[in-house]
């Protein structure tokens, strides 16, 4: 009888990782659109709450852009001094 440890783990995980940049870019675009709508709506309605939430959304966009940069950096190849490349930069 074979146990779970006897089986080979042979499936590929790249299908998940390939969707990360696309999802982040889509999230950035959607957040920017809502941010502009809130900013314009807040300006015309004199709503400090909407304007401040738009500013908060701008910080969210910055965090997502930082995540995209780190994802890109982590995919760089290894070097003689960095045997695993930049993979740990995500951590």
């Amino acid at each position: 009888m074979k146990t779970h440890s006897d089986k080979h783990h042979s499936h590929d995980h790249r299908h998940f990782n390939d969707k990360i940049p696309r999802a982040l870019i889509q999230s950035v675009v959607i957040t920017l659109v809502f941010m502009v709508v809130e900013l314009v709506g807040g300006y015309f309605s004199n709503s400090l709450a909407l304007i401040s939430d738009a500013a908060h959304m701008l910080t969210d966009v910055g965090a997502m852009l930082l995540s995209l940069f780190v994802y890109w950096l982590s995919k760089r190849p290894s070097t003689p001094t960095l045997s695993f490349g930049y993979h740990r930069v995500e951590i």
Side-chain angles (χ1 to χ4, degrees):
M1 181 173 175
K2 286 188 174 184
T3 64
H4 179 68
S5 61
D6 294 335
K7 295 178 183 178
H8 293 286
H9 189 86
S10 63
H11 66 273
D12 193 5
H13 291 276
R14 284 182 292 171
H15 58 91
F16 176 74
N17 289 337
D18 291 343
K19 294 180 182 180
I20 292 173
R22 178 186 293 159
L24 274 172
I25 291 168
Q26 289 172 346
S27 298
V28 166
V29 170
I30 290 169
T31 306
L32 280 173
V33 168
F34 276 96
M35 183 193 77
V36 169
V37 169
E38 277 193 345
L39 193 60
V40 170
Y43 176 78
F44 285 114
S45 66
N46 290 326
S47 172
L48 187 59
L50 284 176
I51 293 172
S52 64
D53 192 54
H56 176 243
M57 291 179 87
L58 182 62
T59 63
D60 292 340
V61 168
M64 288 184 275
L65 290 175
L66 180 63
S67 296
L68 271 172
F69 172 71
V70 169
Y71 179 81
W72 170 80
L73 189 62
S74 72
K75 297 303 171 194
R76 295 184 50 99
S78 61
T79 65
T81 57
L82 297 170
S83 58
F84 289 98
Y86 291 88
H87 182 70
R88 288 189 52 93
V89 77
E90 287 182 336
I91 298 167

